[in-house]
Amino acid sequence: MVKEIERAGLPVVHVCTVTPISLTVGANRIVPAIAIPHPLGNPSLPADEEKELRRRLVKKALHALETPVDGQKVFED
């Protein structure tokens, strides 16, 4: 689906837990997530640490969204 949205002219960031799948389906901007049951957080962390973890992931996704890419790019730390 990310390829179709990008084809329509809207940049997309695919936040995922299994980056090889994102690469296989052809997503251009890929941000690795935390874990399959909790891709954008870690409920075992204290609330303030989890909030910071979520904030970092969202900021990374926003950075990926505004970054021009030519082909696939995985936005690691």
Side-chain angles (χ1 to χ4, degrees):
M1 179 171 246
V2 293
K3 291 292 286 183
E4 292 303 315
I5 295 171
E6 288 226 0
R7 195 170 288 133
L10 298 169
V12 174
V13 176
H14 194 217
V15 179
C16 64
T17 55
V18 186
T19 55
I21 293 173
S22 296
L23 292 165
T24 300
V25 300
N28 287 333
R29 293 172 187 85
I30 303 165
V31 172
I34 304 302
I36 290 173
H38 305 285
L40 291 175
N42 182 347
S44 66
L45 293 175
D48 58 334
E49 290 180 31
E50 185 182 25
K51 185 176 181 178
E52 182 56 34
L53 173 66
R54 290 177 182 219
R55 179 174 278 124
R56 281 195 320 266
L57 282 168
V58 170
K59 284 183 176 182
K60 188 186 303 184
L62 289 172
H63 170 71
L65 190 62
E66 65 187 13
T67 302
V69 295
D70 184 25
Q72 295 179 303
K73 178 167 175 57
V74 178
F75 291 82
E76 302 282 346
D77 284 333

